[in-house]
RNA sequence: GGGCAGUUAGCUCAGUGGGAGAGUGUUUCCCCUACAAGGAAAGGGUCGCAGGUUCAAAUCCUGCACUGCCCACCA
């Protein structure tokens, strides 16, 4: 075995082994319970970054753990076509060649995007393999696959025929760069420092005027009213008066509406129904005209010719100048407000009227709320996200599902070309043969594609072929799935919609537990994202430190639901830990050949305090780790395993073992070996879901030296039942008896919290005794949380009966002993003129006395919580010294 | 405006009522047969601020400040 763990060869070797042996492929097995996850399909916009890696590794660890627990685990891989996002990437690339997608045309463009798709897909799949993901590759899916396409069409047709999908001319968010409509959640807000214009609107047939404050003067051509608050005394007398829009002299009315804020600006709003959602609502309430003045290119249209075709900024400047020139402008103030931006290209969003497809989500939302809020079929981890999820669903408007782009699922709607008045659009899997209204036979398909999130919402269904056959075996067995692991950024975009669709189409929830992890940020705290171009490629870390180190590091910092900042330290930390594991195993493996397993049963009785201690710690660690896995707190798993393995197992148990293995008592050294190997093996198993590569190799080597799975299991049981349950409980019972006697002597009633004794004014307690023991009790409170006894549950139960005094009594005993021992040993060392510091580091050197440095003995500082072991260690130095 | 996180060592962060911690960096010593990717130590902290509850608060409560995120509004 190498001195340093070689991750590069080992990673490759094991993943190949898993692939060759089809370890990850899962079939329906009615005798086993399934545990299923579906990989949130990464967009094919580019390769995977740390955020994806975190997401994938979390799932991988959970699934591998569930597999250890005996579940029939399935993890379905897949990719998302990414709609606008991917189209944007291609457009950007084309721009480098000075081309646009329109130069190519729809067909050639789709060919181009297909090339891109294949290239990126392969890279992403390779990356997932590099990360060690236990994905069932035979099931790899893509959101543009036929099975997915069938699901999309099926869902659309069902919803269309139900009447919840409809086509309408409504105000939508329009990205002038992507040239498509967007849904409400695809819009981001950004603060912009701008101006606010105060404009005079003359009252018709009068010399007076009303002043309107607006941040968008260019839309005044589209004004069809001016609104005030119904209870605004300043303006209420003007209600229903006619006023004149400046520059165009159109006559409009003053209306009253509760949407107006009296305090804001002048308390008067110009109403532009075509270009503002709120104004649009006002218009609906008051039956106002709608005048479009901005077109889909973001330019002025339907306006006086000198403004026509100007972009927004140009129009704004010109109007500002004109208003000033004509005396309509009162003032212009600085003003900052938030503006809508496209979530994919950050271009300013225009609100405008457009003919689009919408989905009425009211019914679905209610069901999706109920499964979380009322029936608790779905749980969020952490739970705090449930509130946001519910409140979002409660305030949902209809979902605009059509997009004016080329990359995506074409809307399965056909129009009869005869354009007969009675003809209606037909939703259908294929081109209809005959129009049911006019018997015509020529059709054109709707040009638009569906929002990419429409197919995403169907993802858990489409990967199990719901579109083709909703009663297939896979769907019956694997669905609903077990967990969904994702970042909080897509709870609304994706999670909520999957739940809505799943309930709509199957009456089942799509998954039981939603595990939300944080967003990975770089060291500046900025979000890592492909569009920002500040991503770290996990491949770089894998090369440097290995996959296991990447995995362990990410798991360590991934606290449920909290954003994380990545720094190199954490990978270094992990790499070192893995090397530590490697070397500790190396030590065990080289010694274990001497183990004589046949006699193990008798040996167990020979355990010393160290053995009992490590077994208690070990037993306790297993419990904590299992619980943490169960709660999906993987960061706690890593912490517990790290602390146990390094600080307890390596620093203490193995260090002791070195000396004890020299013992001529074969029985005793056999016991040490047995315990050492048992703990190692079980710890490796618990680590294996997180760092599968190194642990697989080490477990294999352990098996090779004859330390097989079956023997281990028996031995673990033996050790746990005999040592922990029997020996430890007898020890503990002794202590408890002792405490009871002592408490009795002190006239302290059983059930009192001994920690509070000194401070409380409890009159039933003999204060004299307390005072006599003041020093005693005070020192107890100082060292109250020693790990030795406190961490055994059996003991804890017993402790609870007599309240908090138990562990303290034990400690005081040892504390006094410790102080005595320490003084004695320090004295002896002092006379021997040995430098204890260097001594400590020379523990294993038989000849160290000859090499002992000349320097004076320095103060020995010892942590209290390890004091028992420290004493032992010091005693050992002494023993060696005396020889 | 509403909601949710966070504020602990130089840096990155753990820590759910009693001992202030880890990694990293700094300083000192050590290649001793598992590990120098290691070991033994040292230094470094009014645990954001102010109140409150408690014998006891980094931890629970209230308020405030700052940072970040989400939602709504922004004429």
């Amino acid at each position: 075995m190498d001195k340093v763990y070689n991750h590069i060869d080992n990673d490759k070797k094991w993943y190949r082994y898993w692939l060759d042996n089809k370890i990850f492929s899962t079939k329906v097995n009615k005798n086993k319970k399934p545990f299923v996850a579906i990989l949130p399909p990464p967009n094919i916009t580019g390769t995977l970054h740390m955020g994806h890696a975190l997401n994938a590794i979390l799932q991988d660890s959970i699934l591998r753990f569930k597999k250890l627990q005996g579940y029939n685990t399935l993890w379905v891989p897949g990719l998302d076509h990414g709609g606008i996002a991917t189209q944007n990437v291609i457009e950007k690339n084309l721009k480098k060649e000075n081309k646009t997608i329109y130069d190519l045309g729809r067909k050639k463009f789709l060919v181009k995007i297909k090339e891109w798709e294949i290239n990126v897909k392969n890279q992403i799949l390779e990356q997932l393999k590099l990360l060690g993901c236990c994905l069932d590759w035979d099931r790899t899916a893509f959101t543009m696959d036929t099975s997915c396409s069938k699901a999309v069409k099926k869902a659309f047709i069902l919803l269309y025929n139900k009447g919840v999908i409809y086509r309408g001319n409504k105000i939508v968010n329009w990205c002038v760069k992507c040239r498509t409509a967007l849904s409400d959640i695809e819009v981001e807000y950004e603060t912009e420092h701008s101006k606010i214009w105060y404009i005079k609107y003359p009252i018709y047939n009068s010399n007076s005027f009303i002043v309107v404050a607006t941040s968008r003067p260019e839309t005044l051509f589209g004004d069809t009213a001016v609104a005030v608050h119904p209870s605004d005394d300043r303006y209420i007398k003007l209600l229903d008066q006619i006023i004149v829009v400046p520059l165009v002299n159109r006559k409009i009315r003053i209306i009253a509406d509760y949407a107006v804020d009296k305090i804001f600006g002048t308390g008067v709003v110009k109403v532009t129904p075509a270009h503002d959602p709120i104004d649009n609502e006002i218009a609906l309430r008051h039956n106002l005209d709608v005048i479009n003045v901005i077109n889909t290119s973001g330019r002025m249209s339907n306006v006086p010719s000198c403004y026509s075709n100007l972009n927004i900024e140009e129009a704004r400047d010109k109007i500002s100048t004109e208003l000033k020139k004509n005396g309509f402008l009162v003032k212009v103030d600085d003003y900052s407000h938030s503006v809508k931006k496209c979530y994919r290209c950050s271009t300013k969003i225009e609100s405008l009227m457009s003919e689009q497809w919408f989905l009425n989500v009211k019914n679905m939302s209610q069901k999706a709320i109920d499964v979380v809020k009322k029936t608790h079929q779905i749980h969020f981890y952490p739970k705090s996200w449930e509130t946001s999820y519910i409140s979002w669903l409660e305030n949902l408007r209809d979902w605009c599902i059509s997009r004016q782009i080329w990359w995506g699922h074409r809307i399965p709607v056909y129009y009869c070309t005869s354009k007969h008045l009675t003809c209606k659009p037909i939703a259908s899997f294929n081109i209809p043969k005959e129009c049911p209204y006019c018997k015509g036979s020529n059709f054109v398909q709707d040009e638009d594609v569906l929002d990419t999130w429409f197919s995403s919402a169907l993802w858990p269904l489409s990967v199990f072929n719901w579109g083709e056959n909703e009663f297939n075996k896979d769907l019956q067995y694997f669905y609903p799935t077990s967990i969904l692991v994702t970042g909080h950024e897509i709870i609304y975009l994706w999670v909520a919609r999957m739940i809505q669709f799943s309930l709509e189409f199957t009456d089942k929830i799509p998954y039981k537990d939603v595990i939300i992890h944080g967003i990975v940020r770089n060291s500046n705290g900025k979000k890592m994202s492909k569009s920002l171009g500040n991503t770290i490629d996990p491949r770089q870390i894998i090369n440097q430190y290995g996959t296991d180190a990447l995995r362990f590091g990410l798991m360590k910092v991934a606290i449920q639901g909290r954003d994380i900042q990545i720094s190199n330290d954490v990978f270094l930390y992990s790499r070192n830990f893995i090397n530590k594991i490697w070397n500790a195993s190396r030590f065990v493996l080289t010694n274990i050949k001497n183990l004589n397993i046949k006699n193990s049963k008798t040996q167990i009785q020979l355990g010393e305090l160290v053995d009992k201690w490590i077994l208690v710690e070990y037993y306790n660690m297993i419990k904590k780790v299992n619980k943490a896995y169960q709660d999906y707190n993987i960061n706690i798993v890593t912490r517990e395993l790290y602390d146990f393995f390094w600080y307890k197992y390596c620093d203490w148990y193995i260090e002791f073992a070195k000396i004890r293995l020299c013992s001529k008592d074969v029985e005793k050294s056999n016991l040490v070996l047995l315990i050492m190997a048992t703990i190692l093996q079980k710890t490796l198993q618990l680590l294996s879901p997180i760092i599968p590569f190194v642990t697989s190799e080490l477990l294999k080597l352990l098996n090779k030296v004859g330390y097989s799975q079956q023997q281990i299991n028996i031995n673990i049981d033996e050790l746990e039942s005999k040592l922990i349950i029997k020996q430890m409980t007898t020890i503990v019972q002794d202590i408890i008896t002792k405490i009871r006697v002592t408490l009795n002597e002190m006239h302290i009633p059983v059930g009192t919290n001994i920690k509070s004794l000194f401070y409380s004014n409890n009159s039933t307690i003999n204060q004299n005794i307390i005072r006599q023991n003041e020093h005693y009790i005070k020192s107890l409170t100082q060292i109250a949380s020693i790990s030795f006894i406190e961490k055994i549950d059996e003991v804890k139960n017993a402790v609870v009966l007599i309240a908090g005094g138990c562990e303290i009594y034990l400690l005081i005993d040892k504390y006094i002993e410790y102080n005595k021992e320490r003084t004695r040993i320090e004295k002896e060392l002092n006379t021997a003129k040995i430098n204890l510091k260097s001594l400590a580091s020379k523990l294993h050197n038989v000849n160290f006395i000859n090499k002992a440095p000349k320097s004076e003995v320095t103060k020995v500082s010892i942590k209290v919580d390890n004091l028992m072991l420290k004493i032992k260690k010091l005693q050992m130095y002494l023993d060696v010294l005396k020889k």
Side-chain angles (χ1 to χ4, degrees), chain A residues 55-69:
Chain A
N55 178 269
I57 289 163
L58 259 174
Q59 292 170 75
D60 193 57
S61 302
I62 293 168
L63 284 158
R64 282 173 185 267
F65 178 73
K66 290 289 170 183
K67 190 161 193 167
L68 282 183
Q69 284 192 321

Side-chain angles (χ1 to χ4, degrees), chain A residues 582-608:
Chain A
W582 179 258
N583 277 295
S585 307
R586 204 151 72 98
F587 178 80
V588 176
L589 284 163
T590 49
N591 284 288
I592 204 158
K593 292 161 199 152
N594 306 323
L595 176 63
N596 181 358
I597 290 172
K598 284 174 196 164
N599 295 329
S600 61
K601 280 183 189 172
T602 52
Q603 288 162 4
I604 290 166
Q605 308 302 329
L606 302 172
E608 291 178 29

Side-chain angles (χ1 to χ4, degrees), chain A residues 300-569:
Chain A
M300 304 304 292
S301 72
N302 198 17
V303 290
S305 57
C306 58
Y307 296 97
S308 195
N309 221 27
L310 295 182
N311 71 29
I312 305 293
E313 269 70 37
E314 291 162 351
R316 191 174 287 179
D317 289 346
K318 191 170 170 67
I319 284 171
S320 189
T321 323
E322 287 296 311
L323 288 171
K324 200 171 182 182
K325 209 161 81 187
N326 293 297
F328 291 115
L329 194 61
V330 180
K331 59 172 177 174
V332 183
D333 284 349
D334 285 334
Y335 178 61
S336 48
H337 62 145
S338 58
V339 293
K340 292 176 175 183
K341 297 256 171 111
C342 172
Y343 82 136
R344 287 305 178 195
C345 72
S346 289
T347 309
K348 267 193 217 169
I349 295 288
E350 289 300 333
S351 291
L352 47 85
M353 299 296 290
S354 178
E355 185 88 6
Q356 300 289 343
W357 288 96
F358 294 90
L359 171 57
N360 180 340
V361 288
K362 210 163 187 185
N363 250 326
M364 292 184 204
S365 300
Q366 193 51 52
K367 287 191 206 166
I369 291 168
D370 290 346
V371 292
V372 173
K373 197 178 176 181
K374 286 189 183 155
T375 58
H376 303 291
Q377 294 175 68
I378 297 179
H379 295 270
F380 279 69
Y381 294 82
K383 203 175 163 53
S384 53
W385 279 106
E386 289 181 4
T387 330
S388 325
Y389 165 87
I390 291 164
S391 74
W392 184 76
L393 281 171
E394 278 170 347
N395 301 304
L396 207 48
R397 285 195 273 196
D398 288 358
W399 175 14
C400 174
I401 51 171
S402 48
R403 297 288 177 275
Q404 288 64 53
I405 57 170
W406 292 343
W407 180 231
H409 290 282
R410 194 102 171 247
I411 290 179
V413 166
Y414 299 86
Y415 304 97
C416 174
T417 50
S418 69
K419 288 183 182 167
H420 208 271
L421 278 176
T422 54
C423 294
K424 287 177 190 165
I426 303 159
S428 155
F429 277 94
N430 301 304
I431 301 180
K433 293 207 172 83
E434 189 185 73
C435 174
Y437 307 102
C438 75
K439 308 293 173 198
S441 57
N442 290 321
F443 294 91
V444 285
Q445 188 174 0
D446 196 300
E447 288 291 319
D448 292 351
V449 301
L450 283 164
D451 182 355
T452 181
W453 296 104
F454 190 94
S455 53
S456 309
L458 290 163
W459 189 237
L461 289 167
S462 20
V463 295
F464 294 123
N465 238 335
W466 168 83
E468 191 134 15
N469 170 14
E470 55 193 278
F471 303 105
N472 73 68
K473 275 185 186 168
D474 277 357
L475 205 55
Q476 301 286 323
Y477 178 73
F478 292 117
Y479 203 81
T481 66
S482 313
I483 51 167
L484 176 81
V485 179
T486 186
H488 54 70
E489 52 193 348
I490 50 175
I491 291 180
Y492 309 135
L493 277 168
W494 192 45
V495 180
R497 283 165 173 172
M498 274 190 282
I499 297 173
Q500 289 176 319
F501 271 20
S502 187
L503 290 167
E504 173 73 19
F505 298 120
T506 66
D507 267 330
K508 286 180 187 166
I509 52 167
Y511 28 70
K512 299 179 191 91
D513 291 339
V514 179
I515 300 154
I516 307 291
H517 58 72
I519 292 172
V520 177
R521 299 175 186 283
N522 65 14
S523 44
N524 304 325
K526 287 257 175 168
K527 180 182 161 182
M528 271 190 207
S529 103
K530 286 176 217 169
S531 51
L532 292 174
N534 61 356
T535 58
I536 297 179
D537 193 329
R539 285 177 284 200
Q540 180 200 331
I541 303 293
I542 288 174
N543 277 335
Q544 201 176 347
Y545 300 113
T547 304
D548 285 333
L550 174 85
R551 294 172 61 111
F552 194 85
L554 277 176
M555 293 297 94
K556 194 211 166 244
V557 293
I559 298 168
Q560 236 174 48
R562 211 183 281 176
D563 287 357
I564 58 176
Q565 260 180 301
I566 291 282
S567 72
N568 234 30
D569 282 358

Side-chain angles (χ1 to χ4, degrees), chain A residues 10-203:
Chain A
N10 196 51
D11 289 1
K12 272 187 201 149
K13 185 180 99 183
W14 277 97
Y15 205 81
R16 173 98 332 255
Y17 174 82
W18 294 327
L19 283 185
D20 290 348
N21 290 279
K22 294 251 173 203
I23 300 288
F24 306 143
S25 72
T26 306
K27 303 243 155 45
V28 173
N29 178 353
K30 293 257 162 82
N31 300 322
K32 271 173 130 185
K33 270 178 122 178
F35 191 92
V36 185
I38 295 171
L39 178 78
N43 277 350
I44 54 160
T45 43
T47 51
L48 305 185
H49 55 67
M50 278 302 171
H52 295 111
L54 170 68
N55 178 269
I57 289 163
L58 259 174
Q59 292 170 75
D60 193 57
S61 302
I62 293 168
L63 284 158
R64 282 173 185 267
F65 178 73
K66 290 289 170 183
K67 190 161 193 167
L68 282 183
Q69 284 192 321
Y71 285 91
N72 191 24
T73 56
L74 170 65
W75 191 15
V76 183
L79 295 154
D80 196 296
H81 66 282
I84 302 169
T86 310
Q87 179 156 336
N88 276 346
V89 172
I90 305 295
E91 282 190 73
K92 240 183 222 169
N93 291 346
L94 281 173
K95 207 177 174 184
K96 286 176 199 157
E97 304 165 29
N98 260 332
K99 279 187 198 161
T100 70
I101 56 166
Y102 306 105
D103 297 336
L104 286 178
R106 191 164 188 155
K107 261 196 175 167
K108 277 190 181 167
F109 171 77
L110 289 176
V111 172
K112 187 116 196 160
I113 216 163
K114 192 82 197 166
E115 288 166 15
W116 170 268
E117 175 201 315
I118 291 164
N119 176 22
V120 174
K121 246 184 179 174
N122 285 337
Q123 286 194 56
I124 292 176
L125 297 180
E126 277 313 304
Q127 276 182 304
L128 289 169
K129 287 174 184 169
L130 209 55
L131 289 167
C133 295
C134 60
L135 289 154
D136 185 350
W137 295 108
D138 299 337
R139 295 175 185 268
T140 309
F142 183 51
T143 51
M144 291 296 281
D145 283 348
T146 35
S147 77
C148 189
S149 172
K150 277 179 186 165
V152 167
K153 284 178 185 169
K154 182 171 173 177
F156 189 97
I157 293 164
L158 282 169
L159 293 170
Y160 179 78
N161 292 337
K162 203 177 174 185
V164 286
I165 283 183
Y166 63 94
R167 194 162 165 81
N169 189 27
K170 296 182 35 163
I171 191 159
V172 295
N173 306 299
W174 184 270
C175 175
V176 295
K177 191 170 170 226
C178 304
R179 284 177 169 267
T180 179
L182 294 171
S183 68
D184 290 340
I185 17 174
E186 288 173 304
V187 171
E188 282 173 356
Y189 290 85
E190 207 175 282
T191 304
E192 187 188 67
H193 300 288
S194 172
K195 308 271 183 200
I196 187 161
W197 285 260
Y198 288 81
I199 304 168
K200 286 181 191 170
Y201 279 53
I203 296 171

Side-chain angles (χ1 to χ4, degrees), chain A residues 5-15 18 53 57 60-61 64 129-133 538-539 541-557 570-582 634 638 642 684 687-699:
Chain A
Y5 170 59
N6 177 348
H7 63 85
I8 293 172
D9 296 342
N10 196 51
D11 289 1
K12 272 187 201 149
K13 185 180 99 183
W14 277 97
Y15 205 81
W18 294 327
I57 289 163
D60 193 57
S61 302
R64 282 173 185 267
K129 287 174 184 169
L130 209 55
L131 289 167
C133 295
R539 285 177 284 200
I541 303 293
I542 288 174
N543 277 335
Q544 201 176 347
Y545 300 113
T547 304
D548 285 333
L550 174 85
R551 294 172 61 111
F552 194 85
L554 277 176
M555 293 297 94
K556 194 211 166 244
V557 293
V570 75
F571 300 118
L572 193 69
Y573 165 97
S574 309
R575 195 269 316 254
N576 293 351
F577 179 53
I578 285 156
N579 196 49
K580 187 79 181 176
I581 295 170
W582 179 258
I634 311 295
T638 60
Y642 183 96
L684 289 174
L687 278 163
S688 69
I690 297 169
I691 45 173
F693 292 102
V694 69
T695 52
S696 295
E697 180 67 14
L698 291 171
L699 285 167

